[in-house]
Structure formats: C-alpha cells, structure tokens
Amino acid sequence: MVRVATTSDPRRSLTKGQRTRERLLRVAVDRFGEQGFRATSVSQLSRDAGLTPAAAYAYFADKDAYWAAAVAADLDALAGELRDAAVQSDSPLYELMSGLFLSLDRHPLTRRVFAEGTADDLQLVLRHSLFAGTTALIADRLAGRKAAGVLPGDGDPEVMARGIETVMFGLLVTAVRAGLVDDRDRLWSVVEVLRAAVGGAPTANEIEGV
C-alpha cells in the first residue's frame, strides 16, 4: 500500500474527518493503481474504506475528484522520496531521472497515468510540484553554471530548464508506453545527453556545495 503524503502536522492529532479522508485516499491510490479509472467505482472505494457511498461523496464530489486527488497524493509521495536526494546532489537532474525510473514499480498509479492517462491526466502530472519544482531547481543550477562560465553567456537558464523539463516528461511517457523502463542502457544514455546539455560534470563550486 502506498503511504499517502499529508501536510498535517504529525505532532497534532487528526480529526475524525481528516483520518477518514486519508483512508479514502489510500484506498483510491491502491485501487486506481491496480484497476485503473474505468474499472473502479466510488461504491467499491467506499466499501474498501468501510463507508457508505453517500458518506464517501461527502469527501469527494465524484469519481473524477477521487481520481485527481489520488493521482496528486501518489505524486506527493513520490516527490517526497526524490526531493531530498535531488536537492543534496551535485547532479540533481541525473538524481531525479534515475529516481523516477526506479520508483515507478513502487507507484503503480503514477505508472498507470504515464501508460494510459489522457491528455488531462498527463497535465495533472506536469503541473505537479514534482515537475514544476524540478524546473525551478534546474534553472537555479543553470544560473550558477552560467555565472561560472560553463554555459554560453547568452543562454537563458529558465528557458533551458523548461526545455529540459519537457524532454524529461516526454521521455518518461515514451519509456512507459513503449515498454522501455527496463531498458536501462537506453534510458541512462538519454540522461547522459541531458546532463551534457546542462554543462557536463559538476563545477568545482558545485562539488564544494557553494
């Protein structure tokens, strides 16, 4: 079972309603990940959570709302796993890409969205902080590389970061849908191309954590 990330303060007790909502989300992440959107019903989710359908609708308006909340919760959990390693790494792009590929087996709902999701579903992923935050992190590192003279003086870090985000996202969708996730040699070669695109090996300042 995927542990749903929560913004609640762990030092404070959750209300009954908050606990019920989190239970419903855990159920939704697991069921949607296992069966997909079409094969899962709100009645099934409510039974799994020990509620009546009427009670379940008090927390989410319809199945679409359950789906969007479950996808966001699974992405929150995935982002939590990857963020610390990426921020502390001298090669955050490499850390994020490799972490994403390696973690998909532990996040079947996210993998299902990449494999079967509609354009709207994929937009949910692209707007999530997992990617939006990655873009900001890459732009910050690129700005540092530009200042160090590693990148061309006319290179715009924010423009380059958005391009890298797009390539990363497209690679993930293609890799999952074409069954390439287990072809690590191919995936790592693409990651190396992206690493070279942002300036190659870490600069001395980056290695020193400056």
Side-chain angles (χ1 to χ4, degrees):
M1 175 179 289
V2 172
R3 185 176 184 276
V4 174
T6 176
T7 57
S8 302
D9 186 341
R11 295 169 297 182
R12 298 173 60 187
S13 298
L14 298 177
T15 66
K16 181 180 179 181
Q18 289 171 325
R19 291 195 300 272
T20 300
R21 187 181 188 279
E22 289 195 1
R23 186 167 73 250
L24 280 165
L25 268 182
R26 286 194 294 271
V27 166
V29 168
D30 290 339
R31 278 293 183 181
F32 282 133
E34 178 184 350
Q35 301 177 174
F37 179 83
R38 292 182 180 277
T40 301
S41 67
V42 174
S43 294
Q44 183 180 52
L45 296 177
S46 61
R47 284 197 306 272
D48 288 350
L51 299 172
T52 65
Y57 278 119
Y59 294 91
F60 299 96
D62 51 30
K63 190 166 78 166
D64 287 334
Y66 267 104
W67 171 259
V71 171
D74 199 35
L75 289 169
D76 287 345
L78 176 55
E81 295 173 12
L82 301 179
R83 188 174 292 118
D84 288 344
V87 169
Q88 296 171 13
S89 173
D90 291 322
S91 303
L93 174 61
Y94 195 95
E95 197 75 45
L96 285 162
M97 287 297 290
S98 60
L100 280 167
F101 288 124
L102 293 172
S103 65
L104 286 178
D105 285 341
R106 300 193 304 276
H107 291 270
L109 177 53
T110 296
R111 183 169 185 146
R112 184 177 288 278
V113 171
F114 279 120
E116 305 172 3
T118 65
D120 287 341
D121 293 334
L122 294 175
Q123 286 291 329
L124 283 176
V125 179
L126 193 56
R127 289 193 299 267
H128 190 271
S129 63
L130 178 61
F131 280 91
T134 298
T135 304
L137 175 62
I138 293 172
D140 180 67
R141 292 300 178 92
L142 289 175
R145 287 169 178 258
K146 181 178 178 180
V150 177
L151 295 178
D154 59 352
D156 186 325
E158 292 188 3
V159 171
M160 294 179 67
R162 284 196 299 273
I164 291 169
E165 175 201 81
T166 303
V167 173
M168 287 173 59
F169 187 77
L171 174 61
L172 279 166
V173 174
T174 299
V176 174
R177 296 195 175 191
L180 299 176
V181 173
D182 295 325
D183 187 352
R184 297 298 163 82
D185 289 341
R186 182 186 296 272
L187 296 178
W188 297 154
S189 67
V190 175
V191 173
E192 283 298 314
V193 170
L194 291 176
R195 189 168 71 90
V198 297
T203 66
N205 285 343
E206 287 174 329
I207 292 173
E208 294 170 6
V210 177

